[in-house]
Structure formats: C-alpha cells, structure tokens
C-alpha cells in the first residue's frame, strides 16, 4: 500500500474490504494501529464476513477500545468530583465528551488525555482543586510553566501519578498567540449540561473545535482520526434543522470560517461526508497537500513524505505564534535538549 | 523492507527490517516454524533507524511495530537480532487481549504445565531450556498465555534467550549448532545467544496444557525452598502481567482460580544441576 488511503476507504465503505488479500489485510491492520483507528475500524467492520485471523485481531482492538472507554469515563468522574465542590461544571472536550455523551464518534475511538474547558476566571481555582485531588504537573520547568500560562489556551498538562491519566485544563480552544481568536465566553455560555456537573460543547462548537484541533493547533498528526471524528459528528448533527446555519454562524463568531470549510472539504474527500457546499466552499489547490499529509503512512505503518510532514510542522508553529516569538521559543527549546 | 512471516503459537507475525542481516539471522533461528494462519500476519514487529541517517552512518536500530513504547533506547546494528526479538515481545506485551499474559517460562509433561515466573536473572530461561532438553516440552521462555475461558496454558515457543554462563552450558549439551543464533556480545543484557527449542516444541505449538505447578526460581543461592501463599501468588502474577488490568474481571476471576487451585513454591539454587534436581523433586510431589 502506498499510503493510508485504504484505511480511509475501509472506514467510509466497509464493503471495500471484501476483496483484500492477505498482505493487504496485514498492511491495513498496521496502518490502522499506527493511526490509532484500529478500534474504530473494528467496529465499522463488525458485521462484515472477515478472515479468521483478522476477525480475531479486530476483536482484540474492540476489547482494547472498551477498556479505554471505561478508563476515560473514570477520569471524567475523577475530574467531576474534584471540581464539583467549587460549583465548576467542566466542559468535556473531544474524546471524553464523545464517550460521555455516547456519540457515534466515540465508537471504538481511543481517548487520550482528558481535555476540559472551564471559564477563564475560574481556572486558578480549578487548577488548585485538581492539584489538591492528587494531580501533579507533567512538565514543571519554569520556561514551560511560564510559556503555557502566558500564551497557551490551556495550563501545563497535569498527570495523576497513580492512575497515569493526563488532564489538560483549557480556558479557550486556540493558543492566545494564534491569529484567530475564538470566543471562549460563547463556548461556555452555549455549552450543554449532559449530566449533573458536567457539560459538553454545543454541536456547532464541537465541529469548530475539531477544526481548530486539526488545522490551527498542530502539525496534522492524528489528522485522519480527527477527520473521522468530524465525519461521525456531521452525519449525526446534519439531520438537525438549521444545523448548517448554526455552524456557519459559529464558525464566523469564532473567527474560524476557513479552517471549518477546509475540514468539511477534506472529510467529504476522504469519507464522502455529507457537507453543506455553501460552507465547505470550492476545492482549493492546497487541499491536495493536506490530503497527502493526512494519508502519509506506508503499509508498514511508518511515516512517509518527510518534506510534506516538515512543511506542516513548520506551518503549525508559524500559525501558533508571531515570528520573533517563534524564533525565541525554538531557541530555548533547542538549548534545553 | 526485508520481511519475514512466521507463526509462533497463536501469534502470526510480519517482521520487517531495512537491513537484510537481522532478518536473515531471524530466518535461520526460526527455521521449521510454520507460516501465518491463512497466510495472514496480524501483528507487525519491525526495527528501523531512529533517524534516517542512522541507517548507514553508525547504524542504530530502534524497536518499532504496531504498538510502541515511547523512549525505547536504540541499539547498535550488530544487536539487530536482539532488537527484533524485543520488538516481537513488545507487540505481544502491549497488544494481546485474548490470553492473559504471565511473565514466565513454562514446560510441559504429560499434559501438565510447570510455570516458572521470575525476573530477569532468576534463571527461569536457563531452567526451561535445560528441562526442554531433558524429557519436557518447552512451551515458553518469556510469556505464558493463559486462556481466560478454560484456564489452559497455551504455548508461545519463541527462541530462548540464553544469557552469560547459560550459553556455554547449553552449547555443551546441544550438538546441533544450527539451533543457535549468533553470539551477541556487549548487549544491554550482557552476553546473549538465542536457542531454537526442540522440534517437538515447534510441532506441538498449538497444544495447550493444564497449569499444574508454579515455581519461582532464584539463581545463585544455596538450595532452599519455601511455600508461596495464595495471596502472594496472585499478587506476583498480576505484577508480572502486562495485560491483567485491561482484561478486567475475567482476568481477575481466572487468576483467583489459579491462585486457589495451582500449588506454588519458591526455591533457590546454586547451579543448573541442583536447580533441575529441585524442580524434579517438586514435580514428583505434585504428581507431574
């Protein structure tokens, strides 16, 4: 396999796996594990007639995903207990939100760190409560601490030494140095209570956040997984009346029209996701570069296309902070190695 | 990529390396092993340069594959075979979800399995290798696979990694040099040489056995032995299992049954001859 496209195809269209030969299956499994989509693939293919060894491998992937879900929900509960006495209802983001709300995006999905959003004026209290609940800083050198606190959209990551769970405490969804400025107040104000003391973003904001995460806040590693989230979410949300209108309004409000449009186009291209053409806009030349980056993995699960990857790595930093600041940041990081 | 496909017990591997030599060594070491079931490898283990130029310039091998651990230390290319073996272990340690993994060696006789858990240096591999040449069937050197539903131990007969003084000892006992891998000097584990198990271990790799006795060896001490309580047995097996926690309740239930029904003891031994003698005495008492 020359890249990860067969994985995207298998996820979007499970029937496509029927013709796969032995080597193609081996590659597909490796790519899915490398992209951490093996659990999602396992659930997508659950009803397909599969060769015995593949069925067994995917059974393991489902068991692993189920364990991950249990752990993720437990971390949510730990955070809820730590913050409830302060009257802070954390807004769950990404995987934890999907898992807790039982959204289709959670089916088979890995949940990494617990990401939660709290109002900015309460973040110090929330941090103190989590430290009191046994979390410690995962990185506590003065530069990293200062850097996160001054410029980032989240505090330095906290880790629980006994459980090993990481928690990222956000006050907004993009670094303060990034050019777009999402409206954090609106994210909080329109969030939805999902259980006593726990909230999730409203559907349109969930898509905006997924687009932030994909394009404005990283080098597109995990891009296929993030786009798969967007596909699963849109297939659910699109049936609600006025959803597209709301998404358009929220993307404007959060200064994120471009990234949201791009996310929609790429999801459509990789997964044939139903999208509203007026929001997605026309295909652009550079869309193909994004697709090449998202699929940059060979049949052994190894990263490929180093130049394309490097380009997106540089871009992620470029978008994150102004040039002088970037130079200073990279200098300090390089010296600390 | 140079590739090698092999099945070891329930695990069907695809093994890859950008260098040919480690794969050639692996192919010789695993001569006689079957191909993956239906030709379909479902687990990929590989080695590769940690940085692109490390493929040619002071070549280094990093341990890679479907499942990876962060910050594994790369090794010199001359230890490539060890790196591949570690990559194969890592895939099972991190990915296996059907069998409960017990960090132990195991041998079988009359359908009954003797399980030898122990840390590196406890002599479990050496004892298993010795017993495997003396009337027992070798089942495992590193991982024993316990079927959650039945409690049976399934074989995972990988090449045995002999270390330091155990190498000369096995070389003296085994006439066929083709069963040995290359001698690896100065590895992170010291002097190392792999040994292919006897043919019967490979031919019977799908034949499980009932766990009948668990012995914790300690090499390098005067002979002594002592019972192991059920609670300690439970605790020590969970400590040595990489997938006990993710397997959840079924693994707990299975381990409780094992701790309650399988006799266990610990023993110290100063040399191989007395080690084997102590094991045989325990087995006689347990009726194996």
């Amino acid at each position: 396999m020359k890249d990860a496209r067969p994985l995207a195809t298998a996820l979007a269209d499970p029937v496509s796996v029927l013709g796969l030969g032995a080597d193609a299956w081996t590659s597909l499994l490796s790519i899915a594990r490398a992209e951490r989509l093996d659990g999602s693939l396992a659930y997508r293919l659950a009803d397909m007639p599969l060769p015995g060894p593949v069925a067994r491998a995917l059974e393991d992937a489902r068991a692993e995903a189920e364990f991950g879900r249990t752990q993720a929900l437990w971390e949510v509960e730990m955070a809820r207990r730590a913050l409830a006495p302060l009257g802070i209802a954390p807004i769950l983001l990404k995987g934890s939100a999907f898992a807790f709300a039982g959204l289709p995006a959670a089916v088979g999905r890995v949940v990494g760190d617990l990401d939660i959003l709290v109002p900015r004026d309460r973040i110090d209290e929330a941090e103190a409560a989590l430290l009191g609940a046994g979390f410690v800083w995962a990185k506590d050198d003065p530069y990293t601490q200062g850097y996160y606190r001054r410029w980032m959209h989240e505090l330095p990551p906290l880790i629980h030494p006994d459980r090993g769970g990481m928690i990222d405490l956000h006050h907004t969804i993009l670094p303060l140095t990034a050019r777009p400025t999402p409206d954090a107040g609106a994210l909080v104000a329109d969030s939805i209570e999902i259980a006593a003391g726990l909230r999730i973003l409203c559907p349109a904001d969930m898509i905006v956040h997924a687009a932030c995460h994909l394009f404005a806040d990283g080098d597109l590693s995990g891009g296929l997984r993030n786009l798969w989230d967007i596909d699963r979410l849109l297939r659910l949300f699109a049936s609600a009346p006025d959803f597209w209108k709301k998404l358009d309004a929220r993307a404007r409000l959060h200064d994120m029209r471009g990234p949201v449009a791009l996310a929609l186009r790429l999801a459509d291209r990789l997964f044939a996701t139903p999208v509203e053409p007026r929001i997605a806009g026309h295909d652009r030349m550079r869309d193909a570069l994004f697709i090449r980056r998202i699929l940059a993995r060979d049949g052994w699960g190894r990263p490929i296309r180093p130049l394309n990857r490097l380009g997106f790595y540089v871009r992620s930093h470029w978008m994150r902070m102004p040039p002088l600041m970037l130079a200073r940041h990279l200098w300090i990081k390089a010296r600390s190695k | 990529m140079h590739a090698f496909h092999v099945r070891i017990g329930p695990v069907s591997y695809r093994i890859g390396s950008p260098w040919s030599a480690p794969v050639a060594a692996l192919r010789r070491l695993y001569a006689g092993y079957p191909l993956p079931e239906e030709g379909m490898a479902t687990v990929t283990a590989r080695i590769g340069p940690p940085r692109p130029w490390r493929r040619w310039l002071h070549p280094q091998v990093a341990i890679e594959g479907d499942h990876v651990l962060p910050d594994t230390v790369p090794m010199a290319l001359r230890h490539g075979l060890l790196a591949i073996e570690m990559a194969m272990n890592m895939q099972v340690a991190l990915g296996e979800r059907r069998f409960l993994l017990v960090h132990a060696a195991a041998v079988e006789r009359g359908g009954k399995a003797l399980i030898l858990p122990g840390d590196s240096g406890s002599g479990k591999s050496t004892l298993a290798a010795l017993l495997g040449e003396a009337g027992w069937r070798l089942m495992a050197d590193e991982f024993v696979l316990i079927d959650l539903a039945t409690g049976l131990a399934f074989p995972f007969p990988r090449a045995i990694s002999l270390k330091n003084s155990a190498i000369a000892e096995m070389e003296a006992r085994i006439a066929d040099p083709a069963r040995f891998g290359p001698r690896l000097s100065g590895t992170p584990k010291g002097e190392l040489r792999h040994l292919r198990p006897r043919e019967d271990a490979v031919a019977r790799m799908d034949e499980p056995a009932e766990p009948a006795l668990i012995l914790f060896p300690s090499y390098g001490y005067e002979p002594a032995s002592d019972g192991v309580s059920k609670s300690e047995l439970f605790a020590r097996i969970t400590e040595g299992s990489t997938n006990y926690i993710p397997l959840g309740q079924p693994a707990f239930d299975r381990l409780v049954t094992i701790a309650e029904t399988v006799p266990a003891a610990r023993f110290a031994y100063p040399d191989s001859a007395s080690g084997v003698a102590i094991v045989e005495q325990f087995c006689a008492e347990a009726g194996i």
Side-chain angles (χ1 to χ4, degrees):
Chain A
M1 288 180 178
K2 70 181 192 349
D3 66 9
R5 186 172 295 275
L7 172 61
T9 309
L11 285 168
D13 176 23
V15 177
S16 69
V17 302
L18 285 180
L20 294 182
D23 289 348
W25 270 117
T26 305
S27 296
L28 183 63
L29 290 173
S30 277
I31 295 169
R33 288 179 186 133
E35 291 292 335
R36 305 189 71 192
L37 275 163
D38 49 327
S40 305
L41 182 70
Y43 279 96
R44 277 299 275 169
L45 302 184
D47 296 330
M48 300 299 298
L50 299 173
V54 172
R56 204 227 124 174
L58 293 181
E59 229 170 78
D60 281 10
R62 278 195 293 271
E64 182 62 20
E66 191 48 40
F67 170 61
R69 201 182 74 91
T70 307
Q71 270 191 320
L73 294 180
W74 184 244
E75 285 302 322
V76 168
E77 174 58 18
M78 292 293 98
R80 188 196 66 79
R81 286 185 198 178
L83 299 176
L86 304 173
I88 297 176
I91 300 168
L92 307 175
L93 301 173
K94 299 194 293 187
S96 311
F98 307 155
F100 199 88
L103 295 174
V107 177
R109 187 191 194 277
V110 288
V111 183
D113 307 342
L114 170 59
D115 294 85
I116 57 176
L117 176 75
V118 300
R120 194 168 189 190
D121 59 357
R122 312 230 35 202
I123 200 158
D124 294 339
E125 289 169 76
E127 181 187 21
L130 291 172
L131 289 170
F135 284 92
V136 296
W137 288 306
K139 307 170 186 171
D140 66 352
D141 63 288
Y143 177 72
T144 307
Q145 284 279 332
Y147 173 79
Y148 268 90
R149 285 170 198 283
R150 187 158 174 210
W151 302 116
M152 291 296 280
H153 50 306
E154 58 192 339
L155 295 185
L158 292 161
I159 188 165
H160 196 282
D162 297 339
R163 297 194 303 275
M166 292 260 268
I167 184 164
D168 290 330
L169 193 54
H170 293 61
H171 50 81
T172 183
I173 53 174
L174 274 186
L176 304 178
T177 49
R179 265 146 240 154
T181 313
D183 184 339
L187 292 170
V188 174
D190 285 7
S191 64
I192 299 164
E193 184 171 56
I194 183 99
L198 287 171
R199 308 183 74 84
I200 57 173
L201 294 175
C202 72
D205 283 351
M206 237 184 247
I207 301 294
V208 172
H209 181 223
C212 280
H213 196 63
L214 239 180
F215 304 120
D217 182 26
D219 63 354
L220 259 86
S221 48
L224 199 57
R225 194 167 69 243
N226 291 321
L227 266 183
W228 181 242
D229 284 345
I230 290 173
D231 173 87
R232 298 288 93 186
L233 294 173
L234 284 177
R235 280 177 199 268
L236 177 71
F237 296 158
S239 56
D242 288 346
F243 169 74
W244 294 111
K245 228 171 95 185
K246 276 187 202 144
L247 178 60
D248 193 29
R250 295 307 272 198
R252 281 168 202 270
L253 173 74
H254 294 304
D255 213 2
M256 286 290 294
R257 281 182 78 205
V260 167
L262 179 58
L264 264 45
R265 292 199 299 276
L266 298 184
D268 176 32
R269 257 184 71 178
L270 280 175
F271 302 122
T273 313
V275 300
E276 170 58 51
R278 276 179 300 131
I279 304 180
H282 297 294
D283 285 359
R284 308 254 184 101
M285 291 280 283
R286 62 173 198 154
D287 291 5
L289 275 178
F290 282 84
I291 295 280
R292 277 180 60 76
R293 168 64 186 88
I294 286 168
L295 297 179
R297 212 171 270 287
D298 72 6
W300 286 85
R302 293 178 300 181
I304 51 170
R305 298 169 184 161
L307 279 179
N308 180 291
R309 282 177 182 267
L310 178 67
F312 277 95
Y313 178 78
V314 171
R315 174 183 175 274
S316 75
H317 277 79
W318 182 251
M319 293 179 53
R320 209 175 250 229
M321 50 187 105
L324 268 177
M325 189 178 169
L326 175 60
R328 180 171 172 270
H329 175 68
L330 292 179
W331 172 245
I332 292 171
K333 295 289 265 191
R335 285 211 323 182
S336 73
K337 276 196 176 152
Chain B
M1 270 310 236
H2 298 273
F4 175 53
H5 290 70
V6 68
R7 180 167 76 83
I8 298 161
V11 184
S12 286
Y13 283 107
R14 170 180 64 163
I15 295 149
S17 157
W19 304 276
S20 65
V23 171
L26 196 71
R27 211 183 286 280
R28 279 194 295 276
L29 188 57
Y30 284 95
Y33 277 66
L35 285 170
E37 195 188 336
E38 295 183 42
M40 228 167 260
T42 52
V43 171
T44 294
R46 55 185 161 84
I47 56 173
R51 295 272 177 276
W53 58 88
R54 287 289 186 193
R55 183 163 171 193
W56 295 281
L57 194 70
H58 298 294
Q60 279 188 339
V61 289
I63 297 160
E64 296 165 349
D66 289 344
H67 303 279
V68 285
L69 283 173
D71 307 322
T72 50
V73 183
M75 284 183 268
L77 179 56
R78 63 194 166 86
H79 297 149
L81 182 63
L82 172 62
I84 290 190
E85 284 278 327
M86 289 171 75
M88 290 165 75
N89 278 341
M90 185 167 71
Q91 299 316 309
V92 170
L94 300 179
E96 176 55 47
R97 290 292 178 269
R98 185 170 61 165
F99 295 102
L100 175 71
L101 292 171
V102 177
H103 184 221
V107 290
E108 176 263 4
R109 191 162 70 186
K112 300 198 185 257
L114 162 67
I115 297 175
L116 301 159
D119 299 328
S120 188
S122 65
K124 67 176 176 354
S125 294
T126 316
L127 276 176
L130 287 165
L131 293 166
E133 302 299 316
W136 294 77
R137 166 171 66 116
L138 185 112
M139 292 180 74
D141 165 45
E142 182 80 21
F143 294 119
V144 176
L145 311 175
I146 303 289
D147 185 73
L148 287 177
T150 63
L152 293 177
F154 274 72
F156 185 52
R158 295 270 305 287
I160 306 159
S161 77
L162 300 169
K163 289 168 208 106
N164 304 316
S165 63
I167 300 173
E169 224 176 311
M170 295 314 293
E171 284 171 344
R173 279 180 169 76
I174 296 169
D176 179 6
R179 283 182 58 200
F180 289 95
R183 182 185 285 269
L184 306 174
S185 305
T187 78
K189 300 176 177 182
E191 193 89 351
L192 199 142
R193 193 167 192 194
H194 291 94
L195 169 68
R196 187 198 314 141
R198 281 160 55 100
E199 273 174 29
D200 63 324
V202 179
R204 294 169 64 198
M205 62 161 64
D206 296 322
E207 211 177 289
E210 186 194 340
L213 179 62
I214 299 174
L215 294 177
F216 291 87
S218 298
Y219 169 72
Y221 302 94
E222 284 310 300
S225 61
D226 191 10
V228 170
S229 70
K230 292 170 183 179
S231 52
E232 189 189 347
L233 177 61
F234 180 91
R236 289 190 64 170
I237 292 185
T238 54
E239 274 168 25
S241 172
T242 53
N243 69 357
Y244 166 68
I245 290 174
L247 290 175
Q249 178 89 28
F252 173 81
D253 293 341
R254 179 47 63 195
L255 265 187
V256 168
T257 308
I258 288 176
E260 282 178 344
T261 58
V262 182
R266 83 183 89 234
F267 70 98
Y269 66 105
D271 54 63
S272 296
S274 49
V276 170
I278 295 172
V279 167
E280 287 293 357
Q281 198 182 333
F282 268 115
C283 290
E285 284 167 28
I288 305 173

